[in-house]
Amino acid sequence: MPIFNVTGEVDPFLHIALAKGEKIYCESDAMVMMETNLELKGKMTGGIGAALMRTFANGESFFQQHIEALRGDGDCLLSPTLPGAMRVLDIGSQQYMISDGAFVAATSGVELKVRTQSLGNALFAQSGGFFITETAGSGQLAVSGFGAMSELEVAPGKDVVIDNSHVVCWDNRLQYEISMTTGSSGGFLGNLINSQTSGEGIVLKFRGTGKILVCSRNRAAFLAWTQSKPA
């Protein structure tokens, strides 16, 4: 199986070593360098229907890059679009739900499936609406977050509330719901007003047993800040 390693402390690369015949796929434009034994092709992973669903679900590119070691062993370097940390996850006995823009690369045995969300979660989702991406199969998956990344453990009786923009991915065994506020009452209008006045925005509430990866920066807030600054 291809070997994934995160290299570097600040804005790291994802270094992947492939043996002859092995292949991986990654987000469009992720490839920085590859050795000449490797070949890169743009493909619609899973066909046109699956590609469209992933694009709607979490903003992935319609075409993904597929890298295969056709002529012998070879290495490649990948990099996510936004600056920040990366984490390599083992997929198999544990599967994950992936937030918008978090996917970097995966071995060929890992599948990104798109499934529907509940009506309540769909109405508040930042993108994708009724659809969300979930891993299947087995292998390795690399995800990225804007800024630093940290791992949180959720246990029974210790539910957590996380700003939607800071969630990278989470264990699919966790139960979750999306809302506009951390409050448990107040009705739709009250929650909407509280969300706007507190600056809280959309939050994800998790319960059960499993882990969550979160990042330190908020992409939307950072973009809004840069656009507010004079040229």
Side-chain angles (χ1 to χ4, degrees), residues 27-169:
E27 178 61 333
S28 178
D29 297 327
M31 197 279 290
V32 175
M33 180 282 300
M34 68 179 189
E35 295 180 335
T36 55
N37 279 338
L38 308 183
E39 183 172 301
L40 182 147
K41 294 181 179 178
K43 295 182 180 179
M44 293 182 297
T45 306
I48 188 170
L52 282 171
M53 292 278 278
R54 284 193 305 272
T55 299
F56 286 126
N58 67 358
E60 285 184 42
S61 299
F62 187 76
F63 292 96
Q64 292 177 321
Q65 294 180 332
H66 289 242
I67 301 175
E68 184 173 1
L70 288 178
R71 291 173 286 275
D73 300 352
D75 293 2
C76 64
L77 289 177
L78 307 181
S79 178
T81 301
L82 292 173
M86 279 189 283
R87 184 74 64 90
V88 176
L89 302 172
D90 291 320
I91 305 299
S93 59
Q94 195 167 350
Q95 303 292 344
Y96 293 87
M97 315 294 288
I98 305 175
S99 293
D100 300 0
F103 171 71
V104 179
T107 54
S108 58
V110 175
E111 182 182 357
L112 298 183
K113 301 174 67 176
V114 178
R115 68 174 178 84
T116 57
Q117 297 195 91
S118 68
L119 177 61
N121 286 345
L123 291 175
F124 293 120
Q126 279 195 327
S127 68
F130 290 97
F131 306 106
I132 190 166
T133 301
E134 182 177 14
T135 64
S138 61
Q140 289 193 304
L141 168 77
V143 292
S144 69
F146 187 25
M149 198 182 300
S150 183
E151 181 178 311
L152 306 177
E153 290 287 344
V154 181
K158 295 184 177 181
D159 301 354
V160 298
V161 177
I162 306 172
D163 186 293
N164 193 31
S165 298
H166 292 270
V167 178
V168 177
C169 64

